[in-house]
Amino acid sequence: MNQLPKEIRPEMARARRLEWWTLAGMGSVVAAMYFAMGSSQAMKTAFIEDLLGLVPAVTFLVAARLEPRPPTRKYPYGFVRVDSLAFMASAVVLAAVGAWLLFDGVSALAAGEHPTIGPVTIFGHTVWLGWIMLAALAWSVVVPVVLGRLKRPVASKLCDKVLHTDALMQKADWQTGLAGMAGVLGIGMGLWWADSAAAAAIALSILYDGARNIRTAAAELLDGMPRQLESAEISPDAERLKRRLEARWPDGHVRLRESGRYILANVGDTCPPGDLPPLEEWMGDDAGWRLAQLSFTPPGCARSDED
Amino acid sequence: MRRLVWLAFALSLAACGPFPRDPDRTEELVRESGTIRLGWVRGTAPEREAAQALAAVARATSARVERVPGDSETLLRDLADGRIDLVYGTFAMASPWAKEVHFGPAIGWRAAPPRNQPAARFAMRNGENRWIMTVEQAVRP
């Protein structure tokens, strides 16, 4: 389980390359936003979201480096679940920052703050800083649209939640860019509230993403059934595997859980049979590498749930 | 796609008329009334660049300058409340008033002075971005 299955190694290498491109592309967006930020609340919120958008990319690269490490005396099961830990950490950060930005945006709206965007002199020409902001925000839309579209199919093949979260972050990033543009245009049109309202809307979407990811991460940490990438629903390949195992051992108590990108199955109250097909065969037409372990607990070897 | 259409619509709206605009119509009111109500903080030396900038703003808006002398606290409060259009005085960027009003660039300085260094500058009402553009364009060399 510590060695990445052969079938997904090329996709993993592609995912790593995409994440390095993400760091470079989104890094350029963050730099552009920082220099053009001014006093716009929506722009500040969009900047923080873009900065946070780097977290899943960094956690993916760190987790991908740690995951194949061999087990140690202190970690005899290896580091496959480092992915889950990273996922939970990034989800909590996302939710916390979303809540703080929402408070900040709503407070500015309630206080009736009129955002000031003054002029700036570039190469001897004085222009409204709002135009520079709009250019930076437009760049913050283009980069994540491209990266997000490239990442989603790779995340799906790898069953990788961090990569999927990252693709979702990219979606949130370009939507944030558009909301930020609406905020700056609103200021330009004399609508002082447009900026804070756009900022609050962006913050609400960050908070929603964070809360949804916490729910999915908690399911894995609590040894819940394997979940879909797109939602907190049980993944269909896990449902099908459970049915196959229950058909083979109708008196056994079949339980599945997820460890990183892998499924671990246990058949309770059943002695290990002598002859078993290779693990891949239990997955039927689904990706064979997903099932990493099938274990059996003979009767009397575990406390029953009813005790 | 629908978002892009809305954005294109907003951009075309933005292209109509002056941009940026003032939420509280400061520049429009200056043009309509033909008067710039200028708060002058007592004791502030009249810098040559400040006089030139005021003349340029008056020309651009076809208005005449009406001076209101006073202390900085009263004038800045009047500015924040919209009773006057502009204040000229010696202010540091680190002043607590920097949140209540917008301070323009330091007048008579080549580079920006340290934040806690008081310098002659104009103060404008927060968010009145058209008016701020007009005044700062006149101040910048």
Side-chain angles (χ1 to χ4, degrees), chain A:
Chain A
M1 201 159 113
N2 297 103
Q3 282 297 315
L4 213 57
K6 274 190 195 123
E7 303 93 303
I8 59 170
R9 280 182 205 166
E11 290 299 329
M12 194 64 181
R14 184 171 156 74
R16 275 207 199 97
R17 277 197 303 276
L18 278 172
E19 292 298 33
W20 281 113
W21 277 111
T22 302
L23 289 185
M26 292 308 291
S28 74
V29 167
V30 167
M33 299 279 276
Y34 176 78
F35 287 113
M37 196 160 49
S39 61
S40 159
Q41 187 77 21
M43 189 95 180
K44 187 177 93 182
T45 311
F47 164 74
I48 291 175
E49 186 177 17
D50 288 337
L51 194 63
L52 274 177
L54 296 175
V55 173
V58 173
T59 42
F60 178 85
L61 288 168
V62 172
R65 188 167 272 266
L66 287 176
E67 193 184 321
R69 281 195 180 182
T72 62
R73 192 170 69 84
K74 284 189 172 171
Y75 295 95
Y77 289 97
F79 296 91
V80 280
R81 295 189 79 179
V82 74
D83 197 59
S84 319
L85 182 68
F87 182 53
M88 181 55 128
S90 57
V92 170
V93 170
L94 204 62
V97 173
W100 174 70
L101 290 174
L102 182 63
F103 172 76
D104 210 28
V106 171
S107 311
L109 203 57
E113 282 175 18
H114 286 40
T116 299
I117 301 179
V120 62
T121 304
I122 300 170
F123 303 120
H125 294 279
T126 302
V127 292
W128 187 51
L129 180 60
W131 294 122
I132 312 292
M133 289 176 164
L134 286 170
L137 283 163
W139 178 238
S140 84
V141 171
V142 174
V143 175
V145 162
V146 176
L147 288 169
R149 275 179 185 268
L150 291 172
K151 270 181 208 170
R152 286 185 104 153
V154 182
S156 175
K157 280 182 194 153
L158 289 175
C159 297
D160 196 300
K161 291 195 182 71
V162 179
L163 192 62
H164 181 74
T165 308
D166 195 22
L168 280 184
M169 273 301 291
Q170 247 88 73
K171 189 179 168 198
D173 285 344
W174 68 255
Q175 288 179 342
T176 297
L178 287 185
M181 288 175 90
V184 174
L185 281 172
I187 295 175
M189 289 160 78
L191 308 171
W192 65 266
W193 48 266
D195 185 53
S196 299
I202 297 166
L204 205 59
S205 98
I206 300 174
L207 181 59
Y208 174 74
D209 283 345
R212 191 180 54 180
N213 291 349
I214 287 176
R215 203 173 146 209
T216 309
E220 193 182 330
L221 290 176
L222 291 173
D223 284 340
M225 277 285 278
R227 302 302 164 103
Q228 289 178 20
L229 279 182
E230 299 80 12
S231 70
E233 296 300 312
I234 295 169
S235 76
D237 61 347
E239 294 267 33
R240 287 190 285 270
L241 172 65
K242 190 166 189 278
R243 279 199 294 274
R244 272 180 224 115
L245 294 172
E246 281 171 342
R248 170 74 191 267
W249 290 283
D251 297 328
H253 179 205
V254 176
R255 286 187 294 190
L256 305 185
R257 64 190 170 96
E258 202 162 28
S259 186
R261 69 186 84 250
Y262 305 103
I263 296 176
L264 308 181
N266 176 266
V267 186
D269 296 327
T270 305
C271 290
D275 57 327
L276 272 176
L279 286 179
E280 293 79 14
E281 285 188 20
W282 291 106
M283 292 303 291
D285 293 333
D286 296 316
W289 60 266
R290 274 271 275 167
L291 181 61
Q293 191 183 71
L294 173 60
S295 60
F296 295 86
T297 310
C301 286
R303 289 187 195 281
S304 127
D305 292 339
E306 285 80 33
D307 283 349

Side-chain angles (χ1 to χ4, degrees), chain A residues 115-117 119 121 128 187-188 190, chain B residues 20-21 126-127 129 132-133 136 140:
Chain A
T116 299
I117 301 179
T121 304
W128 187 51
I187 295 175
Chain B
R21 292 173 208 161
N126 262 348
N129 296 312
I132 290 169
M133 279 286 288
E136 289 199 15
R140 285 165 201 251

Side-chain angles (χ1 to χ4, degrees), chain B residues 53-77:
Chain B
L54 272 177
V57 174
R59 264 197 313 277
T61 53
S62 313
R64 62 181 182 82
V65 178
E66 184 184 290
R67 274 199 202 193
V68 183
D71 63 275
S72 60
E73 286 288 313
T74 310
L75 290 176
L76 289 174
R77 175 49 52 208

Side-chain angles (χ1 to χ4, degrees), chain B residues 41-61:
Chain B
V41 178
R42 282 196 195 97
T44 309
E47 296 278 347
R48 185 172 52 85
E49 291 96 329
Q52 284 171 348
L54 272 177
V57 174
R59 264 197 313 277
T61 53

